[in-house]
Amino acid sequence: GRHALRLAQRQESGLSTNLGTAVARPANAMRQARPDDAEKLTRIAQAAYGKYVPRMVKAPAPMSYDYLAWIREGNTYVLEHFGEVAAMITLLPKDDHLMMRNLAVLPAFQGRRLGHALIDFAEAEAKRRNLPELRLYTNEKFPETMPFYKSRGFSETHRAQVDGYSFIYLSRTLT
């Protein structure tokens, strides 16, 4: 009834529902991933990439990554949307660029500009590390990702076959 509606409205607005006390939370907050996030990251990858499985000979690689190992490397971050882990990004610093190794948003949170927030974060990290370029790769079987990356200023540099996957490599010079 009315209680359930109020509870749903509080949750949607980002207010805590604990003990009936309203506590404002930021809409989006980036933080470094912790070991206890590993299972969540696996679930995000499975949900975000699962729709591509029917198009492919083998499941998308991010569905089977060892997120705990990546978290321990120290370059995996989560984006919390009103306190809930909704997206992730793993960065791989190189000598002359920052590689966005994996970027994924839970389907329920797609369309809320969280992917843009992840790329903004990666750009800030690259600048903080004095790296002049952001790079990423996407699978040829994910054509709907290309307009998003191109809208963010990325250009295709080349294509390659790696471990049975057909990748499109993209780059963006930072200003």
Side-chain angles (χ1 to χ4, degrees):
R2 283 191 312 220
H3 177 70
L5 178 60
R6 278 196 304 262
L7 182 62
Q9 288 169 333
R10 289 179 86 97
Q11 289 170 331
E12 183 62 28
S13 69
L15 299 176
S16 172
T17 54
N18 295 346
L19 306 174
T21 305
V23 178
R25 292 185 179 156
N28 294 324
M30 290 293 301
R31 67 170 172 80
Q32 193 160 29
R34 301 181 300 251
D36 65 327
D37 291 318
E39 233 176 84
K40 291 176 201 152
L41 301 190
T42 298
R43 284 197 303 271
I44 290 171
Q46 289 171 346
Y49 293 101
K51 66 184 174 188
Y52 301 117
V53 171
R55 304 179 191 176
M56 304 179 73
V57 174
K58 62 182 183 174
M63 293 178 73
S64 60
Y65 287 156
D66 182 347
Y67 289 102
L68 183 57
W70 283 15
I71 288 167
R72 289 183 173 141
E73 288 176 9
N75 290 305
T76 297
Y77 302 86
V78 297
L79 182 102
E80 292 182 342
H81 186 68
F82 292 115
E84 183 176 346
V85 174
M88 66 168 151
I89 188 167
T90 297
L91 305 173
L92 186 59
K94 299 289 189 175
D95 289 341
D96 62 347
H97 68 277
L98 185 62
M99 174 66 76
M100 294 189 306
R101 186 160 61 171
N102 187 32
L103 179 155
V105 177
L106 274 172
F109 292 94
Q110 291 174 0
R112 299 183 193 190
R113 302 191 62 81
L114 300 187
H116 289 279
L118 293 173
I119 290 178
D120 290 345
F121 175 77
E123 181 177 329
E125 275 297 295
K127 288 179 178 178
R128 186 180 71 77
R129 297 168 190 237
N130 294 315
L131 296 171
E133 183 181 13
L134 274 179
R135 293 184 190 173
L136 65 93
Y137 52 93
T138 188
N139 197 297
E140 285 182 0
K141 301 289 186 184
F142 311 166
E144 52 273 66
T145 63
M146 291 299 289
F148 169 68
Y149 292 129
K150 288 186 177 191
S151 79
R152 292 302 311 247
F154 287 89
S155 300
E156 183 176 332
T157 59
H158 65 286
R159 294 178 182 226
Q161 299 286 320
V162 179
D163 296 327
Y165 296 105
S166 299
F167 289 120
I168 303 169
Y169 291 81
L170 301 127
S171 169
R172 179 174 152 217
T173 302
L174 303 176
T175 54

